[in-house]
């Protein structure tokens, strides 16, 4: 057994990697896969038709095609591919079609789910989470799956009980055992939820854990996406000029 040397003084604390004091993990990113895929397909169609019109068009057609592409491409990109929600220990960063909102967890009042998913700051301002769209169809599907799993678990428990009393065996007993396993797996994983509802549950949990922390305080910032607005506005002006010239 060793004794501490009083002449050496306390051992220095090991140095911590930069960033570990404020952020425990990298940003989580939430997106809508269906929105991204749909947006890429629409952009491909616009590009295909627009470039074809520019190359083989005559008269004002190439200019009209350029104006339409300049107007549509930024907007389609903004409303399909651009939306995302970035989350870390300190703040929630919402990238919507035309704005970028940063909210420290200490300034978040609530996260709401209804016909759309929203975050509300402590001043009462609402910001829609475009990257987490609400799907009533997905909610209904999750509810049906949970109902079927509960019914299977109930049948499995009933079969196990009757097997214990009457000694039932055979194929029916095997099916009941499988149903019991499925029901136990569902119970262990909790109730079934739509994907976006699960994401909102994760955000609420992180908000509850971090809202009082020192690193999660600050001001809400909102920045307009001028890199989207400017080209779309230029395309609209050019389209209007060409339309006016007839």
């Amino acid at each position: 057994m060793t004794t501490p040397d009083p002449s050496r003084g306390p051992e220095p604390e090991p140095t911590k990697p930069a960033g570990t004091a404020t952020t425990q993990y990298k940003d989580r990113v939430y997106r809508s896969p269906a929105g991204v895929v749909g947006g890429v397909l629409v952009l491909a169609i616009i590009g295909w038709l627009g470039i074809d019109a520019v190359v083989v068009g005559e008269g004002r057609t190439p200019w009209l095609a350029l104006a339409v592409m300049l107007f549509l491409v930024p907007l389609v990109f903004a409303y399909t591919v651009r939306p995302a929600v970035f989350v870390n220990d300190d703040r929630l960063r919402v990238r919507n079609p035309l704005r970028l909102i940063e909210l420290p967890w200490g300034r978040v009042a609530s996260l709401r789910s209804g016909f759309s998913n929203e975050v509300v700051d402590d001043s009462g301002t609402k910001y829609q989470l475009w990257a987490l769209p609400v799907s009533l169809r997905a909610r209904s599907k999750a509810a049906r799956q949970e109902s079927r799993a509960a019914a299977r678990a109930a049948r499995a428990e009933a079969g196990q009980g009757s097997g214990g009393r009457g000694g039932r065996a055979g194929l029916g007993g095997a099916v009941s055992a499988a149903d019991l396993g499925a029901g136990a797996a569902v119970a262990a994983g909790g109730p079934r939820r739509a994907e976006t509802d699960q994401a909102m549950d994760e955000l609420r949990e992180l908000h509850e854990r971090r809202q009082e922390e020192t690193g999660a305080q600050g001001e809400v910032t909102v920045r307009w996406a001028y890199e989207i607005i400017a080209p779309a506005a230029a395309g609209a002006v050019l389209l209007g000029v060409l339309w006016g010239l007839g």
Side-chain angles (χ1 to χ4, degrees):
M1 177 174 150
T2 60
T3 58
D5 184 1
S7 63
R8 295 178 57 187
E11 293 290 334
E13 292 185 1
T15 58
K16 298 181 181 180
T20 56
T22 57
T23 304
Q24 296 178 358
Y25 53 82
K26 294 181 180 180
D27 283 3
R28 300 179 192 174
V29 183
Y30 296 90
R31 292 178 181 272
S32 172
V36 172
V37 172
V40 170
L41 291 176
V42 173
L43 289 173
I45 293 172
I46 293 174
W48 174 42
L49 296 177
I51 293 174
D52 182 71
V54 170
V55 173
V56 303
E58 298 178 354
R60 292 188 305 131
T61 300
W63 290 103
L64 285 171
L66 285 174
V68 169
M69 285 194 296
L70 189 59
F71 174 68
L72 288 181
V73 168
L75 294 181
V76 172
F77 176 84
Y79 283 89
T80 57
V81 180
R82 174 182 162 85
V85 175
F86 303 88
V87 182
N88 61 30
D89 279 346
D90 295 334
R91 64 192 64 250
L92 174 70
R93 189 155 56 99
V94 182
R95 194 169 69 188
N96 280 344
L98 301 179
R99 292 191 298 178
L100 178 65
I101 306 105
E102 292 193 12
L103 302 103
W105 287 120
R107 298 294 302 273
V108 174
S110 64
L111 291 146
R112 299 178 182 175
S113 295
F115 292 104
S116 64
N117 290 316
E118 300 173 338
V119 58
V120 184
D121 66 16
D122 53 4
S123 67
T125 305
K126 301 177 183 178
Y127 305 99
Q128 186 174 350
L129 304 179
W130 280 81
L132 296 174
V134 170
S135 173
L136 299 180
R137 180 181 179 184
R139 285 181 177 176
S140 299
K141 181 180 179 180
R144 289 194 302 269
Q145 290 176 344
E146 184 178 359
S147 178
R148 287 196 295 266
R152 286 198 302 268
R155 288 198 303 270
E157 291 176 0
Q160 188 183 44
S162 62
R165 293 191 300 269
R168 290 179 58 187
L171 182 60
V175 173
S176 296
D179 286 343
L180 182 60
V186 172
R192 293 178 182 268
R193 303 270 284 164
E195 185 175 354
T196 54
D197 290 338
Q198 292 178 9
M200 291 297 290
D201 290 342
E202 294 174 4
L203 296 181
R204 292 189 186 99
E205 180 183 356
L206 187 56
H207 172 234
E208 289 296 325
R209 288 194 290 107
R210 298 293 302 174
Q211 61 179 334
E212 301 297 335
E213 298 296 328
T214 303
Q217 310 305 315
E219 297 296 327
V220 177
T221 61
V222 179
R223 183 180 72 83
W224 287 96
Y226 294 107
E227 66 275 14
I228 299 293
I229 298 173
V237 171
L238 180 58
L239 195 58
V241 169
L242 293 173
W243 187 274
L245 293 175

